Amino acid sequence: MASVQHCDLAIAGGGLAGALIALALAEKRPDLDVRIIEGADTIGGNHAWSFFGADIAQGERWLIERLVVHAWPGYSIAFPRAVRQLPQPYYTIESTRLDAIVRQTLAPERLTFGATIEEVTPTTILLANGDRVTATGIIDARGPGDLTRTMDLGWQKFVGRDYRLEAAHGLANPIVMDATVEQIDGYRFVYALPFGVKRMFVEDTYYSDTPDLDVKAVGQRVAAYAAARGWQPKRKLREETGVLPITIGGDFESYWRSTGAGVAKAGMRAGLFQPTTGYSLPDAVRLAIAIAAERDLSGAHLATFTHDYAAAAWRSQRFYRMLNAMLFRAARPEERWRVIERFYGLGPNLIRRFYAGRSTFPDKARILTGKPPVPVGRAIKVLKETSWRA
Ligand SMILES: Cc1cc2nc3c(=O)[nH]c(=O)nc-3n(C[C@H](O)[C@H](O)[C@H](O)COP(=O)(O)OP(=O)(O)OC[C@H]3O[C@@H](n4cnc5c(N)ncnc54)[C@H](O)[C@@H]3O)c2cc1C
């Protein structure tokens, strides 16, 4: 017989955004019965989420401090004409840690695993097996909505492998972009995170016009890169793949409606991600803290609150969409690396604010002035033809 559970707040999808909301509410509103309904058997799937120190404000760190598994004081980038060390802390959260912390924080009866959600309304979650969860408020955090039909996109796609190595690699800090590799399928770079003395995470990444990912071929390039660096794998501990949206333009309201107009949303489902990287962790932290500060957690209020929050974020990201239009539409695919190389020649504070999505007016002016790495005529045409302003 179908069962019904009732609670104060139910979160559909125990991924990054859903888990962070549950943890923020456990801290700020311990009186509430908050539940997570997740399709898989774990919280957070198979992920490593990384972020720069400046992405998270001092007052927001309490939410993720205990989730951080790896921390470094700086990182480097490498381009054909420049190698640079940047003194900006870098951190990684692993999904196994997020899973463990959520299980420590929420009592077992508040976590439902292996449950396929069929429908979400502002106050109900209907499961495929006929079970129901009713709540004062529901937040839908089940990952992306209909991105392709509502937005104009480029893609960041990658295959990453976490290797246990035969010998110590000797790399102290992450290489966030090694763009000295052969340029294939757009802008290509390798990302390397030293997770331990004999452990290295290597990811081969493409800023591509298409979302197709040849996992086998890219996996082989990961292995070839590791071999070329002298990092001999003993064992592959984990592999992850990703195809993330890079927004050039689109219609935010259509995107929001693609997963139901009157329902509260979080994470990728709310369109909350950095437009130039597709990364969503900093936005997920901010939204979780903002929700935990709301007194009214009814479905109707949360729907309006999360919609208005995400719509304001979308409006504030026009500059990034315009740069993405330049990168994907004005620069030829094999020349895209020049745009990024030029960007990394700018000041470290400007770079820090850029990734945090907090570029100032002088930052924007600085990014746009100087010798353009794309043909001016082409740039003007692209600016006219794409919907980055929307
Ligand atoms: C491999 C990879 C690496 C990434 N690395 C980074 C990074 O380093 N830094 C960063 O900021 N961003 C990163 N991102 C981008 C982004 O932050 C992640 O995709 C992030 O997990 C998105 O969070 P989310 O909560 O919106 O969605 P998810 O974390 O994907 O969570 C959605 C959850 O909903 C569940 N679900 C979906 N449908 C149903 C259903 N019908 N019934 C029940 N449950 C359902 C899923 O099982 C999942 O657990 C990465 C993405 C990928 C794919």
Side-chain angles (χ1 to χ4, degrees):
M1 218 177 74
S3 74
V4 180
Q5 38 169 318
H6 184 76
C7 59
D8 294 315
L9 187 89
I11 299 164
L16 179 66
L20 289 174
I21 293 168
L23 293 176
L25 284 166
E27 182 69 24
K28 298 292 179 191
R29 302 285 304 274
D31 53 305
L32 295 180
D33 180 351
V34 175
R35 301 191 178 198
I36 296 179
I37 317 298
E38 166 57 41
D41 295 331
T42 57
I43 294 291
N46 166 25
H47 276 297
W49 296 284
S50 300
F51 59 98
F52 295 103
D55 292 353
I56 308 289
Q58 199 68 40
E60 298 163 345
R61 300 222 168 130
W62 59 269
L63 182 55
I64 46 161
E65 251 154 14
R66 57 193 179 136
L67 302 175
V68 170
V69 180
H70 308 283
W72 302 271
Y75 69 94
S76 66
I77 48 112
F79 286 88
R81 291 177 300 206
V83 173
R84 200 168 166 197
Q85 310 289 331
L86 288 117
Q88 167 66 222
Y90 201 65
Y91 302 95
T92 300
I93 290 174
E94 291 186 27
S95 49
T96 44
R97 172 74 67 89
L98 181 67
D99 179 67
I101 297 284
V102 168
R103 286 175 201 263
Q104 266 171 36
T105 310
L106 270 70
E109 65 274 15
R110 294 189 179 178
L111 296 171
T112 302
F113 290 106
T116 304
I117 298 167
E118 284 226 314
E119 201 187 320
V120 173
T121 76
T123 53
T124 317
I125 294 176
L126 177 65
L127 303 184
N129 66 2
D131 288 354
R132 229 169 243 281
V133 183
T134 61
T136 309
I138 305 278
I139 299 176
D140 191 353
R142 284 179 291 161
D146 190 346
L147 285 163
T148 47
R149 269 191 291 193
T150 60
M151 294 201 183
D152 182 7
L153 301 170
W155 302 94
Q156 182 192 182
K157 57 193 188 187
F158 49 83
V159 174
R161 289 182 177 176
D162 188 354
Y163 285 127
R164 166 94 48 226
L165 302 178
E166 291 287 356
H169 49 70
L171 183 71
N173 288 332
I175 305 169
V176 165
M177 275 181 187
D178 180 353
T180 61
V181 292
E182 185 190 356
Q183 295 298 294
I184 305 169
D185 194 4
Y187 171 50
R188 175 181 173 224
F189 63 92
V190 174
Y191 169 66
L193 303 177
F195 280 166
V197 177
K198 289 188 184 178
R199 193 176 151 200
M200 184 67 77
F201 180 77
V202 186
E203 196 157 82
D204 194 39
T205 304
Y206 302 78
Y207 269 60
S208 164
D209 295 326
T210 70
D212 322 311
L213 180 65
D214 184 341
V215 176
K216 192 168 167 222
V218 179
Q220 283 166 353
R221 287 184 204 135
V222 172
Y225 182 88
R229 300 283 309 215
W231 302 334
Q232 198 193 335
K234 187 172 186 175
R235 200 150 58 91
K236 186 170 81 180
L237 302 172
R238 197 177 67 84
E239 179 167 296
E240 69 174 33
T241 62
V243 181
L244 306 183
I246 304 298
T247 39
I248 292 166
D251 178 352
F252 172 80
E253 292 301 335
S254 297
Y255 177 70
W256 186 269
R257 283 195 303 271
S258 75
T259 50
V263 178
K265 288 161 212 176
M268 300 292 287
R269 208 163 194 84
L272 285 167
F273 53 89
Q274 212 283 9
T276 304
T277 62
Y279 274 19
S280 74
L281 185 136
D283 280 305
V285 170
R286 286 194 277 274
L287 179 65
I289 292 174
I291 287 174
E294 284 301 291
R295 296 321 291 173
D296 181 356
L297 295 180
S298 67
H301 174 71
L302 284 174
T304 307
F305 178 76
T306 56
H307 168 272
D308 293 354
Y309 183 101
W314 173 265
R315 284 192 299 273
S316 74
Q317 291 166 345
R318 289 165 64 176
F319 175 72
Y320 301 97
R321 291 195 290 274
M322 190 253 287
L323 291 185
N324 294 343
M326 291 291 121
L327 184 63
F328 280 89
R329 302 283 157 78
R332 285 201 307 274
E334 64 280 11
E335 298 290 324
R336 279 180 196 153
W337 66 271
R338 291 184 196 282
V339 179
I340 313 287
E341 185 184 55
R342 178 181 177 274
F343 169 75
Y344 268 107
L346 302 173
N349 289 334
L350 177 149
I351 294 168
R352 184 168 55 76
R353 288 189 292 268
F354 181 88
Y355 280 116
R358 296 193 181 113
S359 300
T360 60
F361 184 75
D363 288 347
K364 292 177 184 176
R366 182 74 194 88
I367 290 168
L368 294 176
T369 50
K371 188 171 174 287
V374 295
V376 175
R378 179 106 192 99
I380 292 169
K381 188 167 181 293
V382 165
L383 288 183
K384 275 196 202 144
E385 288 174 357
T386 51
S387 58
W388 58 275
R389 278 192 196 85

